[in-house]
């Protein structure tokens, strides 16, 4: 049955039949028969004959509404109108049984009003029945109404009067019903009257409305407006019914609607707008706005009969906006839209005839006319034109043409175009439209045994995956209410119903999903993208990864791929999350490569229309050939070039999409099936190799989270002779032996690989191996292949492995090369491993050190001389700042400056080990032969070890290592003293000390007593006063101050006469303190101080001659004692700019 005309994809609404040809006759009800109570007893005047039964009118007929207006929408039969109206009684319980009024003429009952709450439909009939149906979800693609089940039928027991109006509040579980001027409240869904007194029946009602600000499906409370004979009541519905406001009016109300604090009504005289707030605070006159007069009854000039005008209509068309219908009596009718202030800010609608029913659904006005046609007007356009018409086909029977259109609580219908589903793989033997018949035939795929492929982990993941359930069962999940109202959802929320005598139709907004799909099928991709993005921007609840959005972009991608628009296809695949497993079925080579890793194509869940495009493309290679033929024509050369280019571009597109898929699989809410993980990684391995993406391939293989199926990948790489990539996979899998075997073949030029990093990569990998047997085997192979490279393996061999080697053979091999660096490294490793001949190899090693130090510092070239001078100069500078600094300590501080300092520091450290693990005499002879004039400290160490300490002291003083000589000669017990290396020196256990002021008489070398050693060293310092007077003076002064008790005063006679007294002053003071007569010592000291003051004063007088006047204030303090200078004599030091007392200078 055709319900609407025009292009469905461009129209704002679609229609779907909910209930068709209902049998509402009480005699045919499936529920238990309910006996109707007896007719109302006649009044006394009726029994006496003063009033006939037919003259008794119902409350609605007694009002002015029935006298002024005809209800063009009602189809109440004449017998019902003539029947005496019984007194309204309390609504019965469903268990009571009705029966028709005696003597009344029976007509087939008709649908008068309806409410739809989800899948529940409540129908009010013309004979006072409430019928409850439950429905299956309606689908757009289905031309048949959904299956329904009649739940119950309830007789309202109000004299078989028609049910005029129903308002449902699902969240409150309440249904408000107006029947025969009586409002009754029912509970949902069982349709039981609320009989506990919280919501009593309201009588004498002409019409009702509710505050349309609320969303009825979720509202926890609601406001209803009830129009009675000469008053309007405002009630709040919650747990009970509460009267909030009562307004007295002059005339009866025929139509009413409400939005917030405003009520728009039509009475027997005028259209009005009531401001409830102003009426509540002031008066009716101040809160009432009179608009236009309503149409009044008129007399037919020909027949003389009174013609009642149609019932006026009012409705809410927006926040504080209302529309009412007005007619001048002819066929033309206007729909006037005004604000709550009475201002007409929007256009006026013009109808060809007076509508039987009219509702507003932003931004459309839907009107039903007498011929059953439904027109949709767009209030946004200035012309207010009809944009869509329903039920205008002549094939529709009169009984199924709409009589009313209503706004209901809401229901939903669905479209299955985007629903992913799997198909029966047992029948998946190809498609007649496929280019490659074998594409989906599992028997033609490459087979692997169970041992080749371990998919246990993926199978376990699939067991709890929603993707697995979808592939097996299809999308049979219930409606997700969170997605029902999204802009591109395949679930469409609908609030409009049209009803005929025996049928019910839903008017749902045109699904945007259908519009987008129509654009895609017509290859209007850009428009489709704009539509989808507009939907995403308009609806915050719509997710970019939702099923409908994904479907749209998947369809766009496949259409672009079919037209070889590869970049666009890639972009849409990414946004649509196309299953990468499905895309591989367009590449037969990869089907054979992956084998049983891929599930059959039919098991991959996708929408049927999307699957059909796969069938149409069939094989990407064929698609490339067709495209190249179309572009090149008969030019074979150009066609060949296009074939190669397009094929490469297609594989690059596949590669880039799989990279995106792999990135998405790392997310917690990844959109793909779990078994796609190994497929993506294993396919990417081959794609990278084919597309020459070396860096990406290596990064993927080395990634710790890769899921490459190594058997498949290695089999492919070996078949195409890409051995290096195969070795990388073995390496990532921990197959050390297989990896090294491939690399040895490449190093020996048996296999070729341009990507292999050579011996350096080989050695780096060996450093990571922990297996000593493998390392030792590789070391022996490297001895023959590359001696220098083999030594790098030594550091990773265990001491046990190194100690078991034939070291002499290796040393001979290295000596043939002539590289002392390699020889030193090998011997150091042998010694570290505690080889059986460690002492022999240690002596050998020290000789190597000596030769290398010689070559570094003493070769006859400028570089060596520069290095030698730099080391000696740095020590002298450091020694000038700290006279207690030994050359050994300085060398430790600069050991990492260059190779020479490192070698010397290492050599001294080995020489200083106790007991020595080398032959000291052999090493000393080597030093004397190679670098005697340079390596004084090393020789001194060896001399001490050989018990020749006196020669060591002379050598240290000669070469300027005075601190070391002093430690050796005067402080042998110090921890840092070389004397501790002398095996013949016996020290007490508590004799060790490193303090500078430690007494030197605890022990001494056998070269002499402490006093004689001090004097000896002091005379050695005095001996080079002529060559280095400053250094000699500093050393002597230091010795005199620290060892004064061991030096006689007669030593002053041996000092140079030009040295200043200050050098010996502490020494002289010490000895003066030792004199027997303290007074004499004090006098001498006084005279000495006086002499010093005189000298200072003389220097001061001389300074005044060359120094400008110095001005001081009384707050100036001495720089030394910090006391006020006052009027005391002072000294000014130009160099430091300090001012001191003359006695403090």
């Amino acid at each position: 049955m055709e319900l609407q005309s025009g292009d469905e994809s461009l129209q704002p609404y679609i229609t779907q039949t909910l209930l068709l040809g209902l049998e509402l006759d009480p005699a045919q009800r499936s529920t238990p028969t309910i006996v109707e109570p007896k007719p109302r007893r006649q009044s006394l005047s009726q029994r006496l004959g003063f009033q006939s039964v037919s003259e008794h009118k119902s409350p609605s007929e007694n009002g002015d509404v029935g006298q002024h207006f005809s209800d063009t929408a009602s189809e109440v039969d004449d017998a019902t109108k003539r029947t005496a109206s019984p007194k309204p009684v309390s609504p019965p319980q469903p268990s009571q049984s009705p029966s028709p009024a005696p003597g009344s003429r029976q007509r087939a009952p008709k649908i008068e009003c309806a409410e739809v709450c989800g899948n529940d439909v409540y129908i009010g009939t013309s004979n006072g029945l409430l019928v409850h149906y439950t429905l299956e979800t309606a689908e757009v693609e289905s031309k048949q109404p959904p299956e329904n089940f009649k739940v119950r039928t309830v007789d309202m027991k109000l004299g078989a009067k028609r049910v005029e109006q129903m308002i449902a509040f699902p969240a409150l579980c309440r249904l408000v019903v107006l029947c025969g001027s009586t409002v009754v409240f029912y509970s949902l869904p069982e349709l039981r009257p609320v009989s506990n007194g919280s919501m009593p029946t309201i009588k004498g009602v002409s019409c009702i409305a509710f505050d349309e600000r609320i969303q009825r499906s979720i509202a926890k409370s609601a406001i209803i407006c009830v129009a009675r004979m000469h008053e309007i009541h405002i009630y709040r519905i919650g747990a009970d019914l509460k009267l909030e406001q009562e307004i007295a009016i002059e005339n009866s109300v025929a139509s009413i609607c409400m939005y917030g604090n405003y009520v728009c009504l039509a009475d027997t005289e005028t259209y009005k707008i009531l401001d409830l707030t102003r009426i509540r605070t002031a008066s009716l006159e101040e809160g009432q706005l009179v608009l236009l007069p309503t149409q009044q009854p008129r007399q037919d000039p020909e027949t003389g009969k009174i013609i009642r005008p149609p019932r006026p209509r009012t409705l809410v068309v927006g926040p504080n906006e209302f529309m009412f219908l007005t007619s001048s009596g002819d066929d033309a009718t206007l729909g006037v839209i005004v604000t709550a202030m009475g201002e007409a800010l929007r256009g006026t609608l013009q109808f060809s005839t007076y509508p039987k029913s009219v509702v507003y659904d932003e931004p459309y006005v839907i009107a039903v006319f007498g011929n059953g046609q439904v027109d949709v007007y767009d209030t946004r356009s200035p012309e207010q034109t009809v944009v869509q018409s329903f039920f205008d086909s002549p094939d529709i029977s009169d009984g199924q043409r709409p009589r009313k259109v209503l706004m209901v609580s809401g229901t939903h219908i669905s479209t299955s175009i985007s629903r992913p589903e799997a198909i029966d793989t047992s029948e998946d033997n190809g498609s007649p439209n496929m280019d490659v018949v074998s594409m989906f035939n599992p028997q033609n795929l490459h087979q692997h045994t169970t041992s080749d492929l371990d998919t246990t982990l993926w199978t376990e993941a699939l067991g709890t995956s929603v993707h697995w359930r979808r592939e097996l069962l299809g999308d049979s999940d219930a409606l997700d209410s969170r997605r029902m109202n999204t802009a591109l959802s395949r679930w469409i929320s609908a609030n409009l119903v049209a009803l005929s005598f025996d049928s019910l139709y839903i008017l749902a907004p045109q699904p945007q999903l259908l519009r987008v799909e129509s654009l895609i099928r017509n290859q209007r991709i850009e428009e489709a993208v704009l539509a989808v993005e507009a939907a995403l921007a308009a609806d915050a609840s719509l997710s970019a990864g939702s099923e409908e959005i994904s479907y749209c972009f998947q369809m766009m991608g496949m259409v672009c791929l079919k037209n070889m628009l590869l970049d666009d296809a890639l972009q849409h695949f990414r946004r649509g999350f196309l299953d990468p497993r499905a895309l591989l079925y367009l590449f037969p080579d990869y089907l054979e490569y992956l084998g049983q890793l891929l599930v059959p194509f039919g098991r991959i869940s996708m929408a049927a229309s999307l699957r059909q495009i796969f069938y149409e493309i069939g094989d990407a290679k064929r698609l490339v050939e067709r495209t190249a033929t179309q572009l090149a024509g008969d030019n074979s050369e150009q066609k060949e070039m296009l074939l190669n280019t397009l094929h490469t571009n297609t594989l690059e597109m596949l590669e880039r999409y799989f990279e995106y898929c792999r990135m998405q699989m790392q997310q917690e809410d990844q959109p793909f099936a779990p078994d796609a993980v190994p497929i993506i990684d294993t396919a990417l391995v081959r794609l990278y190799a084919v597309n020459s993406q070396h860096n990406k391939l290596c990064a993927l293989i080395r990634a710790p989270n890769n899921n490459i199926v190594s058997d498949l990948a290695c089999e492919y790489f070996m078949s195409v002779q890409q051995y290096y990539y195969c070795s990388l996979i073995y390496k990532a899998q921990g197959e050390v032996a297989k990896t090294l075997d491939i690399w040895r073949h490449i190093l020996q030029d048996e296999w070729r690989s341009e990507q292999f990093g050579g011996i350096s990569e080989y050695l780096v990998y060996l450093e990571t191996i922990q297996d000593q047997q493998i390392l030792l085997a590789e070391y022996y192979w490297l001895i023959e292949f590359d001696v220098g490279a083999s030594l790098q393996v030594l550091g990773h061999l265990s001491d046990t492995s190194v100690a078991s080697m034939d070291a002499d053979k290796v040393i001979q091999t290295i000596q043939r090369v002539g590289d002392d660096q390699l020889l030193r490294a090998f011997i150091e490793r042998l010694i570290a491993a505690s080889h059986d001949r460690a002492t022999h190899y240690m002596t050998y090693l020290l000789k190597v050190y000596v030769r290398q130090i010689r070559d570094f510092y003493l070769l006859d070239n400028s570089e060596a001389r520069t290095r030698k001078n730099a080391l000696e100069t740095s020590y002298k500078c450091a020694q000038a700042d700290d006279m207690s600094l030994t050359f050994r300590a300085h060398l430790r501080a600069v050991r990492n400056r260059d190779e020479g300092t490192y070698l010397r520091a290492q050599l001294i450290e080995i020489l200083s080990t106790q007991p020595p693990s080398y032959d000291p005499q052999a090493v000393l002879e080597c030093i004397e032969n190679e670098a005697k004039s340079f390596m004084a400290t090393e020789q001194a160490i060896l001399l001490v070890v050989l018990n020749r300490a006196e020669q060591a002291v002379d050598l240290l003083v000669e070469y300027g290592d005075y601190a070391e000589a002093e430690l050796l000669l005067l402080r042998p017990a110090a921890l840092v003293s070389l004397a501790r290396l002398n095996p013949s020196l016996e020290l007490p256990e508590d004799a060790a000390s490193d303090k500078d002021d430690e007494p030197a008489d605890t022990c001494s070398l056998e070269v002499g007593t402490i006093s004689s050693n001090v004097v000896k060293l002091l005379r050695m310092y005095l001996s080079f006063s002529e060559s280095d007077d400053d250094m000699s003076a500093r050393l002597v002064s230091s010795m005199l101050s620290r060892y004064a008790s061991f030096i006689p005063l007669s030593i002053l006679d041996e000092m140079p006469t030009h040295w200043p007294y200050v050098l010996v002053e502490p020494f002289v003071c010490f000895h003066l303190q030792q004199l027997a007569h303290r007074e004499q010592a004090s006098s001498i000291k006084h005279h000495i101080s006086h002499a010093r003051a005189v000298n200072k004063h003389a220097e001061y007088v001389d300074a005044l001659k060359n120094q400008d006047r110095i001005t001081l204030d009384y707050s100036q303090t001495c720089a030394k004692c910090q006391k006020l200078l006052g009027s005391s004599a002072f000294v000014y030091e130009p160099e430091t700019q300090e001012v001191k007392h003359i006695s403090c200078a």
Side-chain angles (χ1 to χ4, degrees), residues 914 944-949 978-985 1005:
Q914 191 71 12
V944 172
V945 173
L946 294 172
N947 200 16
R948 296 157 60 183
L978 292 180
R980 302 182 71 86
L981 302 178
N982 188 347
S984 62
L985 178 64
L1005 294 178

Side-chain angles (χ1 to χ4, degrees), residues 495-675:
N495 299 86
L496 292 176
V497 295
L499 51 90
S500 66
F501 288 106
D502 58 3
S503 301
L504 198 67
Y505 312 98
I506 192 76
L507 275 65
Q510 175 71 38
Q512 194 170 359
L513 185 61
L514 293 178
R515 301 181 184 181
V516 173
E517 190 201 33
S518 177
L519 293 173
I520 296 172
R521 289 188 177 278
N522 294 326
Q523 300 187 15
R524 297 160 62 181
I525 304 300
E526 293 182 359
E527 297 179 45
V529 171
L530 291 176
V532 174
E533 290 180 346
L536 285 169
D539 193 342
S541 63
L542 186 62
S543 169
S546 65
E547 181 182 287
E548 294 81 6
I549 296 292
S550 297
Y551 167 75
C552 293
F553 283 113
Q554 288 172 11
M555 287 288 292
M556 295 179 203
M558 290 304 297
V559 170
C560 290
L561 178 61
K562 190 175 180 180
N563 292 279
M564 288 302 290
L565 302 174
L566 300 179
D567 289 339
D568 293 340
L570 174 62
Q571 178 183 356
H572 299 321
F573 287 158
R574 287 175 174 174
R575 299 190 68 178
F577 304 109
L578 179 67
D579 196 320
R581 302 172 299 170
L583 203 56
L584 284 171
Y585 273 91
L586 299 178
F587 299 86
D589 292 343
Y590 286 81
L591 293 182
E592 182 179 358
Y593 165 58
L594 294 172
Q596 290 182 337
L597 194 60
L598 273 174
V599 299
F601 183 72
R603 284 273 303 280
I604 299 176
S605 181
M606 68 176 66
S609 54
L610 184 66
R611 191 184 303 275
Q612 183 59 36
I613 300 181
F614 274 92
Y615 287 144
E616 293 171 2
I617 295 176
D619 184 356
K621 188 177 294 184
R622 298 281 184 87
L623 179 63
V624 167
E625 292 176 358
R626 288 196 299 268
T627 305
T629 302
Q630 293 173 359
L631 295 176
D634 298 332
N635 191 330
S636 59
E637 182 178 349
Q638 186 178 4
K639 178 181 178 181
E640 186 66 25
M641 181 182 66
L642 283 173
L643 278 173
N644 295 333
T645 302
L646 292 176
H647 181 68
T648 301
N649 292 344
T650 304
L651 291 179
E652 288 181 355
M653 182 274 296
L654 185 64
E655 171 196 321
R656 292 167 63 188
Y657 181 62
F658 271 54
E659 288 177 340
Y660 176 79
C661 294
R662 188 175 194 278
M663 180 179 64
Q664 292 298 314
M665 295 298 286
Q666 312 301 322
Q667 306 298 326
E668 183 176 353
D669 54 345
Q670 58 85 15
F672 304 114
D675 65 335

Side-chain angles (χ1 to χ4, degrees), residues 632-759:
D634 298 332
N635 191 330
S636 59
E637 182 178 349
Q638 186 178 4
K639 178 181 178 181
E640 186 66 25
M641 181 182 66
L642 283 173
L643 278 173
N644 295 333
T645 302
L646 292 176
H647 181 68
T648 301
N649 292 344
T650 304
L651 291 179
E652 288 181 355
M653 182 274 296
L654 185 64
E655 171 196 321
R656 292 167 63 188
Y657 181 62
F658 271 54
E659 288 177 340
Y660 176 79
C661 294
R662 188 175 194 278
M663 180 179 64
Q664 292 298 314
M665 295 298 286
Q666 312 301 322
Q667 306 298 326
E668 183 176 353
D669 54 345
Q670 58 85 15
F672 304 114
D675 65 335
V677 177
I679 295 174
I680 291 172
D681 286 0
T682 309
L684 270 176
V685 166
R686 177 166 176 169
L687 285 168
Y688 284 150
V690 172
N691 295 336
S692 302
Q693 298 287 351
H694 171 73
N695 293 335
K696 290 183 178 180
L697 177 55
C698 294
L700 174 60
I701 294 174
R702 292 166 182 162
N705 60 344
N706 79 68
N707 290 275
I708 301 170
V709 181
S710 58
D711 292 349
L712 303 181
C714 290
E715 181 182 350
Y716 167 74
F717 285 132
M718 294 301 289
S719 66
V720 296
Q721 298 182 356
Q722 292 184 331
Y723 306 108
Y724 177 64
Y725 296 137
C726 182
S727 69
L728 289 183
I729 294 178
Y730 285 141
K731 178 182 175 184
Q733 298 292 334
E735 299 285 347
V736 178
K738 293 182 179 179
T739 304
L740 294 175
D741 180 65
I742 293 176
W743 286 2
R744 285 196 301 270
H745 281 84
I746 298 176
L747 287 172
Q748 294 171 345
D749 294 330
E750 297 175 2
W751 292 346
R752 296 184 59 82
S753 175
E754 297 179 356
Q755 295 82 16
F756 182 50
I759 192 67

Side-chain angles (χ1 to χ4, degrees), residues 2 29 70 116 246 292 299 351 361 496 503 512 528 548 674 707 736 780 810 839 842 854 865 956 966 988 1058:
E2 186 69 29
R29 296 178 206 160
S70 64
V116 183
E246 186 175 356
L292 293 174
Q299 185 177 14
F351 305 100
D361 184 31
L496 292 176
S503 301
Q512 194 170 359
E548 294 81 6
N707 290 275
V736 178
Y780 285 129
V810 178
T839 302
M842 178 61 78
R854 176 204 63 192
R865 287 191 292 270
L956 291 172
E966 185 175 332
H1058 63 277

Side-chain angles (χ1 to χ4, degrees), residues 8-64:
E8 294 185 4
S9 64
L10 301 178
Q11 295 177 345
Y13 291 97
I14 60 173
T15 59
Q16 175 65 40
T17 303
L18 290 184
L19 297 169
L20 184 65
L22 297 179
E23 296 290 344
L24 301 175
D25 192 344
Q28 301 180 10
R29 296 178 206 160
S30 59
T31 56
T33 302
I34 303 176
V35 179
E36 186 176 358
K38 296 180 180 180
R40 178 185 175 187
R41 183 181 179 185
Q42 297 179 352
S43 66
L44 178 61
S45 61
Q46 290 175 337
R47 294 198 304 269
L48 294 176
F50 295 106
Q51 182 181 10
S52 64
V53 176
S54 60
E55 294 175 351
H56 185 81
K57 298 182 180 180
S58 66
S60 63
E61 291 168 342
N62 286 332
D64 295 333

Side-chain angles (χ1 to χ4, degrees), residues 32 78 134 150 161 271 345 400 433 494 529 649 658 684 803 871 893 922 956 975 1030 1037:
D78 296 337
T134 183
K150 183 188 290 187
K161 294 183 179 180
Y271 289 100
L345 300 181
Q400 294 180 355
N433 297 325
V529 171
N649 292 344
F658 271 54
L684 270 176
L871 179 60
L956 291 172
L975 290 175
D1030 182 62
S1037 176

Side-chain angles (χ1 to χ4, degrees), residues 69-83:
F69 306 111
S70 64
D71 193 348
T72 59
S74 66
E75 302 293 339
V76 180
D77 54 53
D78 296 337
T80 305
K81 294 181 180 179
R82 293 193 299 269
T83 303

